[in-house]
Each structure stands twice: as C-alpha cells, then as structure tokens.
Amino acid sequence: MVVKENIHIHSKHALLKLSPSDGSLLPPAEPGQFVEVKVEGEPKTYLRRPISINYIDRDKNELWLLVQQVGAGTSRMSEMQSGSIINIIYPLGKGFSLPAEKNGKVLLVGGGVGVAPLLYWGAELKRQGYSPEFLLGAKSDKDLLQKSEFEAIAKTYYTTEDGSEGEKGFVTNHTLWQKEKYDKLYCCGPRPMMLAVAKMATRLCLDCEVSLENEMACGLGACLCCVENTIKGNVCVCKEGPVFNIKELQWLI
C-alpha cells in the first residue's frame, strides 16, 4: 500500500489514508475487520501491529487507519509521509453482524481510539437502511476523535470525564439510556468500558456485540497471544473475532 495522506488529528493520533501501490481496487472488507502492519526501519518491532479498519472510501479507493501512538511501532507509523510504502495483511478477522430488525434503532458506543471501527460500521449500517446513532466517550473534548466524520453519518452523543463536551461522566452515565430505546448495541474501547456497556446491555435485555482489543501479534491464529475465554473454550480473537456477541464471552456479567 502507498500512503496517500497522513493527517495528525491529535497529538497522539494519526489518520493514514492508503491505496494499493499497484493501482488495483481494494478487496471487500467488513466493518470490524482489521489489518496487520509490518513496521519497516524500526529495530524494536519484530512483529506486525494490528490496526482496526477505520473506513473504506470506495470512490477514492482508500483504506483508512486510525493510529494511536503507544510504542515504537505505532510512533513510526504515525511519522510516515505521503508516498511511503507500507506492507499490510488484510482483511483479517470477523466483523460486525447486522441487526435482526431493519427498522430497529442501533447504538454504536466507542471510547478513545476504540471509536475507529465504528465509523465504517455506522456508514455501512446507514447505507443498508438502518438507523444508527453514536455515543462516544473520552477524557476531554480534546480527546474526541473524528467528530465531524461521525456527525456526518448519524446523530452523535458525547460524554467526557471532565464535562468539556457533552455530558460529564462515562458513556454508561449518559441520560440517553433513560430517554431512548435501542434494539442492538455495538461497542469498542477499553475493556473496563466494554464490560460496563455489556452489563448495561444485559440489564436492559439488549443484544450487544463488542470488538475486543487483545494483543494480536500475527493475525492468523498462530502465535496464541490473543486467546480469549468463551463459552466454546479458549479461542484466538484474531480468527474467531475480534467481534463477539457478549453472550459468547465468559465475562461473568
């Protein structure tokens, strides 16, 4: 892939827009799937880095990756310039599943960089005639990512821990839980947040899918770094997920 554009949307986040370097069309990819990136020129990164598919722009033949700088590998990725060549394996894993009811309301809940796969999923839900809404949480207004992109797709609610945007608190504290009725939830973010949303979904008897962020070093089910305990036993998140229905997980909720 070739880097068409690298947009620094936050001090710790970069949006890479990629296209096939040979000019070919992007292959089909489901919202919720991910890529494995080989980081060149960084001696500390022996293994590929898993990154969620943030969005696919078919008109421009672009694949978007929202990258958070958390170590040498992702920092190197965030520094890539337009024209740089990047080696990726994709699409990997299993994505989100459609709601059972076409006329139902669905809520997509994200926290931090966990909002990344929800942008593509929200756009796809809207394209297929569903009515998605977003609930996004962060520490402060400065930490909310891709606000204009989410708002262009559907109604978007916010929570921030300091109250600088939307309602103060966590996503599970938002008053929309008392005001609105949803038929299905989708969630991605820090595990404590996903656990809290899963408990909320269970209490409200809502179907809920979560996108796990376990360490996935190979993406192919070989290294066993990403094993998760489920009702079927231990499975590799990179192969059986990263998206799971909460009923499949042993979260004791």
Side-chain angles (χ1 to χ4, degrees), residues 9 17 35 37 52 55 64 69 84 107 111 119-120 122 139 154-155 165 169 172-175 181 190 201 207 226 231:
I9 61 176
K17 297 185 178 183
V35 309
V37 180
S52 296
Y55 187 72
W64 295 9
Q69 300 175 43
S84 299
L107 183 65
L119 183 69
Y120 185 27
K139 290 184 177 180
K155 185 171 182 60
E165 179 76 23
T172 48
N173 303 132
H174 201 287
T175 55
K181 178 177 174 56
D207 194 28
C226 63
I231 58 174

Side-chain angles (χ1 to χ4, degrees), residues 8-248:
H8 287 267
I9 61 176
H10 185 273
S11 61
K12 290 292 184 179
H13 297 85
L15 178 62
L16 294 178
K17 297 185 178 183
L18 315 174
S19 289
S21 58
D22 61 0
S24 61
L25 294 178
L26 291 167
E30 300 174 3
Q33 290 186 302
F34 67 101
V35 309
E36 286 278 356
V37 180
K38 183 178 181 181
V39 183
E40 307 278 5
E42 177 50 64
K44 297 180 181 179
T45 55
Y46 301 104
L47 300 172
R48 291 177 180 264
R49 295 300 188 261
I51 305 291
S52 296
I53 295 175
N54 177 227
Y55 187 72
I56 291 183
D57 188 330
R58 292 292 175 188
D59 294 333
K60 296 182 178 180
N61 199 36
E62 288 181 347
L63 167 71
W64 295 9
L65 301 179
L66 183 60
V67 180
Q68 180 182 20
Q69 300 175 43
V70 293
T74 49
S75 294
R76 180 78 174 184
M77 289 173 60
S78 69
E79 297 169 358
M80 290 183 171
Q81 303 298 314
S82 297
S84 299
I85 300 298
I86 184 170
N87 182 306
I88 70 173
I89 302 173
Y90 78 109
L92 297 170
K94 183 190 72 166
F96 298 105
S97 63
L98 290 169
E101 299 296 330
K102 193 85 173 188
N103 59 351
K105 286 183 65 176
V106 294
L107 183 65
L108 283 60
V109 185
V113 75
V115 304
L118 302 181
L119 183 69
Y120 185 27
W121 184 223
E124 181 61 19
L125 285 169
K126 183 178 180 180
R127 187 186 71 82
Q128 295 203 33
Y130 292 89
S131 301
E133 294 182 354
F134 298 108
L135 172 57
L136 309 179
K139 290 184 177 180
S140 72
D141 58 346
K142 297 180 178 61
D143 300 304
L144 290 166
L145 305 172
Q146 297 183 297
K147 284 181 61 180
S148 59
E149 287 84 353
F150 280 104
E151 291 171 0
I153 295 172
K155 185 171 182 60
T156 305
Y157 301 91
Y158 300 102
T159 64
T160 49
E161 293 180 27
D162 64 359
S164 55
E165 179 76 23
E167 295 188 13
K168 185 175 182 178
F170 302 118
V171 290
T172 48
N173 303 132
H174 201 287
T175 55
L176 70 85
W177 296 106
Q178 288 79 47
K179 298 177 181 177
E180 303 290 339
K181 178 177 174 56
Y182 296 98
D183 298 282
K184 186 161 184 175
L185 304 180
Y186 299 93
C187 183
C188 185
R191 182 166 289 230
M193 187 204 80
M194 290 195 289
L195 283 165
V197 171
K199 289 180 180 179
M200 176 79 72
T202 301
R203 182 170 63 83
L204 297 175
C205 299
L206 296 177
D207 194 28
C208 179
E209 291 183 3
V210 294
S211 179
L212 302 187
E213 296 185 322
N214 297 31
E215 292 184 4
M216 295 179 281
C218 72
L220 304 172
C223 69
L224 304 181
C225 288
C226 63
V227 168
E228 180 76 23
N229 188 18
T230 73
I231 58 174
K232 299 178 182 178
N234 291 327
V235 302
C236 290
V237 169
C238 66
K239 292 287 287 185
E240 303 297 327
V243 176
F244 293 88
N245 192 291
I246 59 172
K247 295 177 183 177
E248 302 175 76

